[in-house]
Amino acid sequence: MASDSSNGPVSKALTSTLIASLVCLLSFSFRGAAEGQAQGQDGLVHTTASTEQFDSPSSNQLGDLIVTDPVLSELLLQEVIIAFDHQDYDAALQILDEMPASPAGEYYRGLCLLRTGNPAAAVSVLEAVRDNGQTPEELRLDASIALLKSGQPQMAAAELGDMLSSDPENGHARYFLGLAMYEQGDSESAREHIELAAQFDETLEPYRDAFRAYDQRLGAAALGSYKPLSISQSEPRQWNLSFLTGFEYDSNVPLTPVFSGLGGNIEREDSRMVVGLFGDYRFIQDSDEVVGVTGSAYTNFHFDLDQFDVQTYSTSAYWNRAFGDWIAGVTYSFGETLLDRNQFATSHRLAGSVTKRWEQSGHTTGFYEYEYLDLAGLSLIPAQNRTGHTNSAGFTQAWYIGPQNLGRIYAGYRFDNTDAYGSDFDMNSHMLNARIEYPVFQDLVVDAEARQFWDEYSNGNSLDFFERSREDQRLELRAGIQKYIDQNTSLRFDYTYVDSDSNVANLFGVDFYSYQKHVLSALLIYDF
């Protein structure tokens, strides 16, 4: 399970997503203590007050009135607070630009800059407010949050650590210190600070749980595909269940050569409906260890070529364990495939993997896999029996790209060695692959993948007129887009192209294993 697929400690690359989302969420939630007590130059406590009790002066008069009328200055600050509370940060900044500087006003300026995606500017403003010596401790916290969000976790950690030296039970400071430590790759210290934060301040428990939900997705899910934080589970749970259905068009349906006429393969196109279900239950779900089982079922229904309807059922058990920046994983899986509702194949697969996480830059995974495939039917002669044993090994390198490291580039190599019962299918296979995933928007992800196979068979092929050893080259290209509609629902569209070139041919030069395929699919995915 510690490969680059499926969903389940979070990688350091996801930390930027986590911080960007939790910083905004948390700074909204506990702002009240600081904002409810922010003091102006007159020493008054500012509260949200209606400004309908006075007539606003003209813009020409405003500057002079603000300077000479402290009451008007105070009321305008209330306008800023009201605009801030309504998340109209541009309006709040516009009012602040027309006011003389004050600690409270500059405090709100820093918060508005932080909310509008200008953390560097917010750092400058909030640090200036903090350093004037006339401001409450909460402003130091906001300045530290701005440092953290602007990509300066070391400076944020130093400031937050200084705050905690005088107030060790400051839950909010300790929570953000945990995020800063996590951003720097010190996950153990991060977890300790965040757990303590929730103990000191119970209002932080939901945010501790949100952090746990990410940190507990050990192995494959932490290293795998993008999913927006805004629609992720905020509460850690021990199960996942997903349902998908949709439509596919396939320009070349048959899975094996069709013998007709002189023996050539005939391309037959059709469309089909697909239905699938995937479930995952984790018996152990700790920050450093996950043990669970999965199950899946898939079926399709062709409109015309129903003899090629496929049903697959699989189940697996997995264990993942983190050792600092290393993740080890073991998975056993069993699968059964039906063709036209008759048994077609069964498989047993045992896989092990080791992953090294490179903090914010990416991760490297090496793996070994053993599979026994038992294929029933479709063997005209013993040489065509594909039942056999396959040993595989390879690696995948991932790089984190784009804003907040949300994008992924993957590159990998896989080697397969198959010892089949039929001499036609003893072979070595080499595969190179490259994949990119990129969130164009918060709820829209595009991805593309290319895979190139070189298959070298060991024995003369029974279908080749000259009994040559089979040599195949196959190119697979895929492009997709996924739109997240809400917390549970997404739409996915894919195009896949396959081009297989083989040297196996009969006396008349008709190929058996050369073909092209185009597949278009549209799927509706629902995550319970």
Side-chain angles (χ1 to χ4, degrees):
M1 289 289 294
S3 60
D4 292 316
S5 61
S6 75
N7 287 335
V10 67
S11 74
K12 301 304 185 296
L14 285 180
T15 309
S16 296
T17 315
L18 178 68
I19 288 175
S21 301
L22 290 182
V23 163
C24 290
L25 190 63
L26 270 167
S27 54
F28 272 117
S29 68
F30 68 81
R31 176 179 53 82
E35 293 167 3
Q37 298 176 5
Q39 296 183 356
Q41 290 177 319
D42 54 8
L44 297 175
V45 174
H46 301 141
T47 58
T48 302
S50 171
T51 57
E52 296 176 356
Q53 301 172 359
F54 71 100
D55 295 326
S56 298
S58 67
S59 58
N60 292 333
Q61 300 170 319
L62 185 59
D64 293 337
L65 284 171
I66 292 172
V67 174
T68 59
D69 191 341
V71 175
L72 180 56
S73 178
E74 174 65 18
L75 290 172
L76 284 171
L77 183 59
Q78 303 310 314
E79 288 274 17
V80 172
I81 296 172
I82 292 171
F84 187 94
D85 287 338
H86 287 83
Q87 301 181 24
D88 191 352
Y89 307 122
D90 291 333
L93 287 169
Q94 184 176 357
I95 298 172
L96 288 167
D97 287 341
E98 297 173 345
M99 294 175 56
S102 68
E106 292 304 288
Y107 169 62
Y108 278 99
R109 184 189 301 279
L111 293 182
C112 288
L113 290 169
L114 188 60
R115 302 293 196 276
T116 54
N118 295 289
V123 168
S124 177
V125 171
L126 291 173
E127 284 189 334
V129 176
R130 178 202 63 193
D131 293 342
N132 70 11
Q134 304 175 19
T135 55
E137 192 76 356
E138 287 84 353
L139 302 192
R140 297 184 65 190
L141 179 60
D142 283 296
S144 301
I145 293 172
L147 284 168
L148 181 58
K149 195 175 180 183
S150 65
Q152 303 178 67
Q154 296 90 347
M155 295 182 64
E159 182 68 25
L160 292 163
D162 185 57
M163 290 179 62
L164 288 170
S165 65
S166 59
D167 184 8
E169 297 187 5
N170 186 326
H172 295 106
R174 191 167 292 279
Y175 188 95
F176 283 105
L177 177 58
L179 292 184
M181 299 306 293
Y182 205 78
E183 177 79 354
Q184 296 175 74
D186 189 349
S187 56
E188 293 298 328
S189 295
R191 296 177 193 127
E192 179 182 350
H193 285 300
I194 287 173
E195 293 295 330
L196 284 173
Q199 294 178 26
F200 294 142
D201 188 341
E202 63 181 14
T203 65
L204 291 173
E205 290 179 357
Y207 307 104
R208 175 205 59 195
D209 294 340
F211 174 84
R212 283 177 176 176
Y214 267 72
D215 192 42
Q216 288 174 351
R217 292 173 187 174
L218 183 64
L223 307 175
S225 302
Y226 168 83
K227 184 174 182 180
L229 176 63
S230 60
I231 63 175
S232 302
Q233 290 292 332
S234 60
E235 295 287 341
R237 67 182 190 185
Q238 292 182 273
W239 61 273
N240 292 310
L241 184 63
S242 299
F243 170 81
L244 67 85
T245 187
F247 170 87
E248 290 183 344
Y249 163 79
D250 192 337
S251 69
N252 190 1
V253 172
L255 302 176
T256 60
V258 177
F259 304 103
S260 177
L262 298 176
N265 189 10
I266 297 177
E267 295 185 2
R268 290 186 285 177
E269 65 179 6
D270 198 4
S271 298
R272 55 186 174 248
M273 300 300 296
V274 300
V275 179
L277 188 67
F278 173 84
D280 178 12
Y281 184 82
R282 295 170 290 281
F283 298 101
I284 299 175
Q285 183 172 267
D286 296 329
S287 59
D288 291 325
E289 185 176 31
V290 174
V291 178
V293 294
T294 70
S296 66
Y298 168 89
T299 187
N300 60 34
F301 308 93
H302 287 87
F303 294 164
D304 296 320
L305 302 176
D306 55 7
Q307 68 270 35
F308 291 104
D309 287 353
V310 173
Q311 299 85 41
T312 63
Y313 307 93
S314 68
T315 183
S316 69
Y318 62 90
W319 169 82
N320 289 322
R321 175 73 185 184
F323 303 90
D325 287 331
W326 293 86
I327 301 174
V330 177
T331 303
Y332 166 76
S333 61
F334 171 78
E336 183 169 15
T337 301
L338 307 182
L339 183 63
D340 193 20
R341 288 170 289 280
N342 295 310
Q343 188 175 51
F344 177 69
T346 58
S347 67
H348 299 265
R349 182 181 292 115
L350 182 64
S353 64
V354 176
T355 296
K356 167 63 176 175
R357 297 181 293 187
W358 304 103
E359 297 189 355
Q360 302 242 1
S361 60
H363 66 267
T364 304
T365 299
F367 64 88
Y368 166 78
E369 180 179 295
Y370 166 78
E371 180 183 24
Y372 173 71
L373 176 67
D374 185 1
L375 199 67
L378 299 180
S379 299
L380 300 179
I381 58 176
Q384 295 176 11
N385 187 348
R386 293 184 58 187
T387 298
H389 309 265
T390 299
N391 291 276
S392 306
F395 71 90
T396 298
Q397 175 63 51
W399 296 272
Y400 307 147
I401 61 172
Q404 299 180 335
N405 286 333
L406 294 178
R408 298 285 188 273
I409 294 178
Y410 298 96
Y413 168 77
R414 179 185 177 104
F415 171 77
D416 297 333
N417 172 261
T418 298
D419 181 12
Y421 290 1
S423 60
D424 278 4
F425 292 97
D426 291 339
M427 52 92 76
N428 292 324
S429 177
H430 305 266
M431 186 268 286
L432 291 175
N433 75 297
R435 185 167 89 251
I436 183 170
E437 301 174 359
Y438 200 87
V440 180
F441 302 107
Q442 173 71 8
D443 58 355
L444 185 68
V445 181
V446 297
D447 57 273
E449 182 176 17
R451 303 199 298 176
Q452 176 68 52
F453 295 81
W454 295 268
D455 298 337
E456 301 169 352
Y457 291 79
S458 303
N459 307 307
N461 192 275
S462 63
L463 297 178
D464 187 76
F465 180 78
F466 299 102
E467 295 187 356
R468 293 170 296 186
S469 297
R470 178 179 167 187
E471 296 180 358
D472 291 0
Q473 291 190 29
R474 185 170 73 258
L475 174 66
E476 299 180 359
L477 302 174
R478 184 191 56 79
I481 184 170
Q482 187 160 354
K483 166 68 175 178
Y484 293 89
I485 298 174
D486 56 32
Q487 182 174 350
N488 303 102
T489 312
S490 63
L491 289 173
R492 180 165 185 87
F493 302 92
D494 283 281
Y495 166 72
T496 302
Y497 169 74
V498 181
D499 183 9
S500 179
D501 183 28
S502 177
N503 66 333
V504 173
N506 64 10
L507 175 63
F508 303 97
V510 178
D511 298 325
F512 290 104
Y513 297 105
S514 296
Y515 64 90
Q516 291 184 334
K517 178 192 285 279
H518 304 267
V519 179
L520 293 169
S521 66
L523 298 175
L524 173 66
I525 304 170
Y526 187 86
D527 294 315
F528 292 89

